[in-house]
Amino acid sequence: MKDIQTRISHDRDGWSATSTLDLADNRLLRIRTYKSLNGVLRTSATVHTKVDGCLRHVMGYGTPGGDFSEELVRSKPARSTEKVVTAQHDSVLKTLPGVLAAVDAHYVKHPANPAFA
């Protein structure tokens, strides 16, 4: 399996988990589990391009040229404890091959726009 880095943290918004994985073409996959403002525990995957020491994510709003972005899981637990956040995040990481296949399919269908490279 590829080298995925995971960090579990707690801040003013509660517990969250973030995993990152380097991809080809100077891209980075970020999988993040966090409680949204409406109390929903969300896990999403986004792809960012490394540019000049920063991460760039181009919003496509359904049009060609935008970077991969997908909500993978949505739940409404009674409490978003460290254990609950970690369990949901880990369940998504077990599906990593499918997530990577969806990322690859996205960039085959919507190649990166050279204007944003």
Side-chain angles (χ1 to χ4, degrees):
M1 182 59 68
K2 297 181 179 186
D3 188 28
I4 190 159
Q5 304 294 317
T6 300
R7 189 185 86 214
I8 310 291
S9 61
H10 187 272
D11 61 19
R12 66 182 179 89
D13 296 324
W15 287 100
S16 65
T18 304
S19 295
T20 57
L21 177 66
D22 286 321
L23 303 175
D25 298 326
N26 216 27
R27 292 188 176 123
L28 178 92
L29 172 65
R30 179 184 288 162
I31 298 174
R32 184 166 176 249
T33 302
Y34 62 97
K35 186 174 83 171
S36 60
L37 293 176
N38 63 359
V40 172
L41 187 61
R42 299 178 58 178
T43 303
S44 60
T46 53
V47 172
H48 306 264
T49 303
K50 299 174 190 176
V51 179
D52 298 327
C54 298
L55 294 177
R56 185 199 71 222
H57 178 82
V58 176
M59 299 296 289
Y61 300 105
T63 63
D67 282 313
F68 178 85
S69 180
E70 186 174 317
E71 184 175 73
L72 303 173
V73 176
R74 173 187 288 240
S75 66
K76 184 88 174 190
R79 295 186 61 221
S80 294
T81 63
E82 178 181 17
K83 183 178 179 179
V84 169
V85 169
T86 300
Q88 181 167 311
H89 195 78
D90 287 348
S91 72
V92 168
L93 292 181
K94 289 177 184 174
T95 69
L96 187 59
V99 174
L100 293 172
V103 168
D104 289 342
H106 173 85
Y107 288 106
V108 165
K109 187 175 179 181
H110 304 288
N113 185 334
F116 297 117

